[in-house]
């Protein structure tokens, strides 16, 4: 018999959410039923905190989310960031300078606890919120530190830019890819979905073997390696499918919900 988890962690886009970005009633019912049964539930996502407010009904009154690939811990019900791991300003400036020099035309943005700040060139090629803070150079923003540095280059293909950016950044920051075309997402050293989830589990005194995790993209790999049982949705990236202990139905077929319903039975 499969060991019953004490905590369920799920990615959002491409995993719990359907391809149109919505969450099904079935998924909401399953997550809330699991929570009512005494199992902790955590949303673990590359999304920034501001993109979680519309999902408060998914997690209920105990809703906790790990956002920004591990940079922020967010109380969804109270709409409050209560822990963050940010990039040192000197390191951010160093990495940005190197990317500008090696990959001309790159635009930058920074996800911060208070919202998104972006250079005008980045904003011109990327969707952004109405309350965007614009700046000429991202490294000159000194009022709030970045949890995640974002970069995009319209002069290179998605794959070309991600590979080249990885070579420039090396191990100075954690560079990840969550599926947003050509968007390089960089976190402080050691900051991943796994490290943030591990810290939260330690506070709750929950062992990794008692964690179930669901994902679909390469930025989910550290979390899936950490979890006692790893699930890949049917639409997952090949690397995620290869790592997972079990494959479940796709995001559009409510694979997470179906698995949690099985758990409750």
């Amino acid at each position: 018999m499969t060991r019953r988890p004490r905590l369920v962690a799920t990615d959002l886009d491409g995993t719990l959410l359907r391809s149109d970005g919505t969450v099904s009633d079935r998924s909401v019912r399953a997550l809330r039923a699991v929570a009512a049964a005494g199992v902790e539930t955590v949303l673990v996502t590359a999304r920034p905190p501001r993109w979680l407010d519309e999902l408060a009904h998914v997690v209920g009154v105990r809703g906790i989310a790990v956002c920004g690939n591990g940079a922020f811990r967010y109380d969804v019900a109270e709409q409050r960031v209560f822990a963050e791991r940010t990039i040192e300003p000197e390191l951010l400036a160093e990495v940005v300078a190197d990317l500008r020099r090696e990959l001309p035309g790159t635009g930058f943005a920074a996800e911060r606890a208070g919202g998104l700040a972006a250079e005008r060139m980045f904003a011109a090629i990327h969707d952004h919120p109405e309350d965007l803070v614009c700046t000429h150079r991202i490294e000159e923003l000194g009022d709030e530190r970045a949890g995640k540095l974002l970069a995009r280059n319209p002069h290179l293909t998605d794959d070309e830019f991600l590979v080249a950016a990885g070579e420039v950044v090396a191990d100075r920051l954690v560079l990840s890819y969550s599926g947003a075309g050509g968007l390089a997402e960089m976190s402080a050293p050691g900051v991943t979905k796994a490290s943030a989830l591990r810290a939260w589990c330690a506070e709750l005194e929950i062992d990794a073997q008692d964690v179930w995790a669901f994902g679909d993209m390469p930025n989910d790999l550290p979390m899936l390696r950490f979890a006692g049982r790893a699930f890949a949705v049917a639409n997952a990236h090949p690397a995620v499918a290869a790592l997972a202990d079990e494959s479940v139905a796709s995001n559009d077929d409510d694979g997470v919900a179906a698995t949690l319903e099985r758990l409750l039975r």
Side-chain angles (χ1 to χ4, degrees):
M1 181 179 293
T2 301
R3 183 187 184 102
R4 181 174 177 141
R6 293 183 60 200
L7 183 146
V8 169
T10 180
D11 171 57
L12 289 177
D13 296 283
T15 302
L16 181 70
L17 305 186
R18 292 181 167 176
S19 296
D20 63 1
T22 62
V23 58
S24 71
D25 291 341
R26 182 184 183 185
S27 293
V28 173
R29 288 195 302 269
L31 270 178
R32 300 194 71 165
V34 166
V39 178
E40 293 287 336
T41 59
V42 184
L43 306 180
V44 188
T45 177
R47 287 185 174 211
R50 67 178 186 278
W51 285 6
L52 272 293
D53 295 341
E54 63 190 46
L55 297 175
H57 66 293
V58 175
V59 291
V61 295
R62 287 177 56 82
I64 298 298
V66 169
C67 308
N69 285 332
F72 306 108
R73 196 187 295 170
Y74 190 59
D75 186 314
V76 181
E78 296 186 3
Q79 299 185 7
R80 174 178 63 93
V81 172
F82 65 98
E84 58 183 307
R85 297 174 65 188
T86 57
I87 304 170
E88 291 294 334
E90 296 80 8
L91 179 57
L92 184 145
E94 174 187 300
V95 169
V96 167
D98 290 347
L99 286 168
R100 285 194 204 284
R101 182 182 65 252
E102 299 298 328
L103 302 172
T106 299
F108 297 92
E111 287 288 4
R112 310 171 301 164
L116 180 70
E119 297 176 349
R120 289 170 178 80
M121 181 170 62
F122 183 95
I125 59 175
H126 194 277
D127 293 336
H128 56 80
E130 292 182 1
D131 59 351
L132 173 75
V133 174
C134 281
T135 180
H136 179 62
R137 297 172 69 85
I138 201 66
E139 62 270 39
E140 295 173 357
L141 269 177
D143 58 331
E144 192 174 356
R145 286 163 61 158
K148 188 165 69 167
L149 174 66
L150 307 174
R152 178 169 267 162
N153 190 309
H155 308 296
L156 300 171
T157 67
D158 294 354
D159 288 343
E160 287 172 345
F161 178 59
L162 291 167
V163 170
E167 292 173 350
V168 174
V169 174
D171 60 357
R172 292 178 292 176
L173 297 176
V174 176
L175 192 151
S176 59
Y177 175 60
S178 63
L183 187 66
E185 306 173 45
M186 292 163 274
S187 304
V191 174
T192 64
K193 289 186 174 186
S195 66
L197 185 60
R198 183 183 296 110
W200 182 234
C201 287
E203 291 185 27
L204 299 176
E205 298 184 341
I206 294 176
D207 294 333
Q209 64 182 349
D210 294 318
V211 175
W212 281 14
F214 296 82
D216 74 310
M217 290 300 291
N219 64 320
D220 294 317
L221 290 170
M223 174 178 72
L224 297 175
R225 293 190 185 100
F226 164 75
R229 190 155 187 82
F231 298 85
V233 286
N235 52 291
H237 187 281
V240 173
L243 175 74
D245 299 305
E246 185 176 334
S247 179
V248 301
S250 73
N251 63 322
D252 288 327
D253 291 324
D254 295 334
V256 175
T259 307
L260 297 182
E261 290 165 355
R262 187 182 75 199
L263 162 65
L264 293 171
R265 288 197 297 269

